[in-house]
Amino acid sequence: MVRTLHICCLLFLGIAVLPLRAQLTNSLRIEIPSNPNESETFDVTPLAERGVLMTIGSGGYYSNSPNHFSFQRYNTDLKQIWKREFSQDIKYRPLQTYNNEHFVYYLFQEYDTDQFQFLRLHLDDGVIETFEGTLLDQFDIQHFKVMGSQAYVGGYHHSRPVVMSFSFFDQSTKVLPGMYVNHMELSSLEIDEGRQEVNVLVHSTKRNCRFSIRTYSYDSKLLRTVDFDKAKYTLITGKLLPVSQTESLLVGNYSTDCTPYSQGIYITRIHHSDQIDASDDAVKNLQYIEFSQLKNFFNFLKPHRQQKLLARALKKKEEGKDFKFHYRLLVHDLQPTPDGLTLIAEVYYPQYRGNTLAYGGYLRGSNRYDGYRYTHAFVCGFDLQGKLLWDNCFPIKELLSPELTEMVQVSFQDDRMVLAYPNDGEINTEVIQGSKVLKETEKFKLQTNVEDEKITFSSQENLMAWYGRHFIAYGFQKIAPTRNYASQRDVFYLNKLTYTPENASGKPAEVTTRKNDGSER
C-alpha cells in the first residue's frame, strides 16, 4: 500500500519561558506522523533564505510497490509553498542527490543494469523533469555533481575509478579520460562554475601514494594535471576554493607515510595558467602545519593529557624524529570569508567494541564494529595568501554515528561562529571568535513546545546550518503525554532553531508549532 503524506497544518501558539543564559531557541516546528513499520524515507535539503525542501519517499523494490515521492517546499517560516507528487517505476533505486540555487537533482539506477535516470526538480515551482541514459553496470557511485546541463558521476567500476558526464540536452555520455587505472582512489569531485571546469582529485594507494588534480573542460576534455609527486609528505585529501580568475587555494590533510592517518593539514596555491609549471609551483608553495603547531587542536583533551602528549612530541623532535599522530579527518567544503577562507574538519575513529583512544590517536581493543566515534572538530582561518591566522577547537562528547557524515555545523554570525552538533535529543553549541572561545559548550534540549508532552526517544538526529542565525534540526521522535507514557506517537520532526544574543529584557520567547493531524490520505 502506498502511503502519501499530506501536510495539514494546524497552528499551536505557546509561550516558552527560557533561562537568560539560553540562546538557542525553538522558533518553529513541523511534525509528520511516521509509522516505524512502513518503508518511509525523509530527506531535508536546506535552501538558505529560500526555505527548505522536504522529500518523503515510500515504496520501492523490497516492499514490492512503486516508488513514490512527495516533494514539499517550505519558506523560512515553515509555511508550505508547493507540493508535488511523483511515482516512479519499481525497477529504479535512489542513489545520490545534488542541489544548487535553482534545482535539486536525484540520481536513480535500474537494478543490476547500466540504465540510469536523472530527475531535475525546479525549486521555483516544483516542475519535474526526468532524463534516462546509459552509464555503466556494476558502477559503485560515490560522487554526483551538476554544472549547467551536464551531470558528472564518479565512482568505481571493477575497483577502478571512473568519472562520466551525462548531457541533459541529448542524453549522451562521455568518460573523462586518464583515470581508469588500478590502485587509484577518488578523493573528491568539484565543479568550478566561474571557469566552467571540473576538478577531479585523486590519489594512488601505491607508488608512494601520489596525489594529483585533474582538470577537465565542461565537455569532458582534459585541460591540465597538477601532480604532487615531489611533495615532501603524502597528501591524503584536498578541497579547492577559487580565490581569483587565475588562482585557487587547495587545503587538506597529509600523512608522513602512505596511510590514511593525518599528521597535520596543508595549504597551497594552484595557478590556472599555461605560462608556468602548475605542478612545480603548487609543490613549491606547499605549507605543512603539524597538529602540534596548532594552538588549540588538543583542547579536547584534559590539560594533563595535553601536556603529556605535547611533551612526547617535543622530545621526538629534539631527537630529530617525527612524532606520528594517528588521527582520521573528515574535511568539510571550504567556506569563503572576506579575508580568505575557513577550514572545518572533524576528527573521528572507527569504534570497535571495547576499544579506547590512546595518546596520538592510537586505538586499543577488539574487532567488533560499533560505528564512528567523533572526538572533536577544529576550525582554522586563512588569508587569501594561504597564511594561517588562527585555529580553534570544539570538543565532541559521546557521539557515535553508524555512518561517517558531517555532524558539526557552523553558523557564521558577523565575526563570530556558532558551532553545533546533535546528540541524544540535545543540541551542543560553542561560540568562538577566531582563536577565542566566547561561550563554552552548552546543551539545549529539543522540545515539542506543547505543554504536558515529553520526548521519550530520538533517532537519526540531524542538524544543518540554515541561514543567518538559524539552524534546522530533524529526525525521528517518540512523543508521549507527560502522564501517560503508554500512549506514544511516532513523528518525523523539523525544528527551526535560532541562536540569538542573550535576552537582556528577560521576556519569554514566543514559539509556534505546525503539526500534521494525519487526517488526509
Side-chain angles (χ1 to χ4, degrees):
M1 175 180 177
V2 178
R3 180 185 179 194
T4 305
L5 298 177
H6 299 264
I7 305 299
C8 179
C9 292
L10 305 177
L11 299 185
F12 291 85
L13 298 180
I15 301 298
V17 179
L18 303 173
L20 295 183
R21 72 171 186 86
Q23 294 182 313
L24 191 66
T25 58
N26 290 287
S27 303
L28 291 164
R29 179 179 170 96
I30 287 177
E31 292 179 2
I32 300 174
S34 173
N35 187 342
N37 298 318
E38 292 192 15
S39 177
E40 293 178 330
T41 61
F42 294 79
D43 293 317
V44 174
T45 306
L47 305 173
E49 287 85 357
R50 301 189 69 191
V52 62
L53 177 71
M54 183 188 300
T55 304
I56 304 172
S58 61
Y61 181 83
Y62 293 105
S63 62
N64 197 31
S65 61
N67 291 296
H68 186 87
F69 296 92
S70 176
F71 302 110
Q72 305 172 17
R73 183 183 162 198
Y74 297 83
N75 64 13
T76 55
D77 292 326
L78 296 186
K79 294 180 179 179
Q80 192 175 102
I81 300 174
W82 51 255
K83 180 172 68 172
R84 300 291 182 268
E85 307 293 330
F86 176 74
S87 292
Q88 188 190 56
D89 196 300
I90 193 174
K91 66 184 180 181
Y92 286 110
R93 63 188 177 100
L95 296 179
Q96 298 271 341
T97 64
Y98 176 76
N99 69 282
N100 56 27
E101 184 180 357
H102 302 291
F103 307 98
V104 177
Y105 298 88
Y106 298 82
L107 175 59
F108 301 89
Q109 181 184 18
E110 187 175 334
Y111 284 89
D112 300 323
T113 75
D114 58 1
Q115 298 301 301
F116 289 77
Q117 183 187 76
F118 298 81
L119 184 151
R120 180 164 64 188
L121 176 68
H122 293 242
L123 290 173
D124 283 340
D125 51 16
V127 170
I128 296 172
E129 300 173 273
T130 58
F131 309 86
E132 280 75 33
T134 303
L135 296 180
L136 290 171
D137 62 351
Q138 300 180 44
F139 195 4
D140 179 16
I141 294 176
Q142 306 288 326
H143 305 274
F144 175 45
K145 298 287 178 70
V146 176
M147 181 168 60
S149 61
Q150 294 269 118
Y152 300 91
V153 181
Y156 298 91
H157 183 250
H158 299 312
S159 301
R160 295 179 178 181
V162 178
V163 178
M164 300 185 69
S165 65
F166 174 85
S167 171
F168 297 134
F169 178 70
D170 60 8
Q171 286 76 59
S172 62
T173 60
K174 294 180 181 178
V175 176
L176 276 60
M179 281 182 292
Y180 192 62
V181 297
N182 291 323
H183 311 301
M184 182 181 289
E185 294 183 356
L186 296 174
S187 176
S188 65
L189 171 63
E190 304 190 19
I191 58 175
D192 187 334
E193 297 273 6
R195 282 189 280 266
Q196 289 288 285
E197 294 177 347
V198 181
N199 295 292
V200 183
L201 285 67
V202 299
H203 69 276
S204 60
T205 54
K206 288 190 176 181
R207 301 178 185 175
N208 300 319
C209 290
R210 294 174 178 174
F211 187 91
S212 65
I213 304 172
R214 306 187 180 195
T215 302
Y216 298 84
S217 64
Y218 178 80
D219 57 355
S220 306
K221 295 179 180 178
L222 181 62
L223 298 177
R224 58 186 172 272
T225 300
V226 179
D227 289 311
F228 289 86
D229 297 351
K230 298 178 182 179
K232 181 180 179 181
Y233 297 119
T234 301
L235 309 190
I236 303 175
T237 67
K239 297 287 186 178
L240 282 167
L241 180 71
V243 293
S244 72
Q245 196 61 34
T246 60
E247 189 177 75
S248 295
L249 289 176
L250 174 69
V251 186
N253 52 319
Y254 73 93
S255 71
T256 56
D257 49 26
C258 194
T259 70
Y261 299 111
S262 302
Q263 187 73 9
I265 58 175
Y266 71 87
I267 186 168
T268 189
R269 296 195 300 274
I270 305 294
H271 288 282
H272 309 282
S273 171
D274 297 330
Q275 306 301 317
I276 61 174
D277 188 318
S279 297
D280 286 347
D281 188 68
V283 172
K284 178 183 176 181
N285 290 318
L286 266 172
Q287 301 175 53
Y288 299 101
I289 305 169
E290 191 178 272
F291 292 133
S292 60
Q293 294 177 272
L294 297 174
K295 295 180 179 179
N296 299 296
F297 180 85
F298 298 101
N299 284 356
F300 72 103
L301 297 172
K302 293 182 179 179
H304 73 279
R305 292 191 66 188
Q306 285 189 52
Q307 294 172 7
K308 189 173 181 179
L309 178 59
L310 292 174
R312 290 177 63 193
L314 179 60
K315 183 179 179 181
K316 282 285 186 181
K317 285 189 177 296
E318 290 173 346
E319 295 172 352
K321 303 176 182 178
D322 287 327
F323 179 80
K324 292 188 177 181
F325 298 102
H326 278 63
Y327 293 111
R328 292 177 182 261
L329 299 189
L330 178 60
V331 181
H332 295 210
D333 288 339
L334 303 176
Q335 300 297 317
T337 65
D339 301 322
L341 67 90
T342 299
L343 166 70
I344 304 152
E346 297 172 68
V347 183
Y348 71 94
Y349 61 89
Q351 175 162 307
Y352 299 89
R353 186 61 54 85
N355 70 8
T356 58
L357 180 65
Y359 293 126
Y362 290 92
L363 290 176
R364 300 168 180 166
S366 67
N367 59 0
R368 183 175 175 181
Y369 180 71
D370 282 343
Y372 296 97
R373 175 73 65 180
Y374 296 74
T375 61
H376 63 296
F378 67 97
V379 188
C380 298
F382 295 89
D383 65 16
L384 289 172
Q385 285 68 48
K387 178 183 177 181
L388 177 66
L389 302 176
W390 55 267
D391 70 270
N392 218 318
C393 173
F394 182 25
I396 301 176
K397 302 294 185 182
E398 303 299 326
L399 181 57
L400 182 67
S401 173
E403 297 180 354
L404 183 59
T405 184
E406 295 177 5
M407 299 300 295
V408 173
Q409 297 292 299
V410 181
S411 172
F412 293 84
Q413 302 183 12
D414 298 324
D415 61 342
R416 302 180 179 189
M417 297 181 196
V418 180
L419 295 87
Y421 69 89
N423 191 24
D424 196 22
E426 296 179 324
I427 306 297
N428 298 258
T429 66
E430 180 178 276
V431 184
I432 66 172
Q433 183 183 57
S435 59
K436 299 177 183 178
V437 177
L438 301 183
K439 188 173 285 290
E440 295 185 349
T441 301
E442 289 185 303
K443 295 183 178 181
F444 300 92
K445 199 167 190 65
L446 289 175
Q447 299 177 359
T448 66
N449 296 329
V450 175
E451 291 184 5
D452 299 325
E453 280 192 343
K454 184 177 179 63
I455 299 170
T456 60
F457 178 76
S458 299
S459 66
Q460 299 185 39
E461 300 169 290
N462 289 275
L463 181 74
M464 290 188 179
W466 192 1
Y467 70 98
R469 298 178 290 108
H470 308 287
F471 293 89
I472 192 160
Y474 59 96
F476 294 91
Q477 291 174 340
K478 289 183 180 291
I479 301 173
T482 306
R483 299 179 182 180
N484 184 12
Y485 281 14
S487 178
Q488 292 192 116
R489 55 190 173 89
D490 294 276
V491 302
F492 179 82
Y493 69 91
L494 198 67
N495 269 50
K496 178 180 180 179
L497 307 174
T498 304
Y499 201 97
T500 57
E502 291 184 336
N503 188 353
S505 66
K507 293 182 179 180
E510 183 177 280
V511 295
T512 303
T513 299
R514 301 181 184 280
K515 191 173 181 181
N516 178 13
D517 65 357
S519 60
E520 293 187 32
R521 297 277 174 178

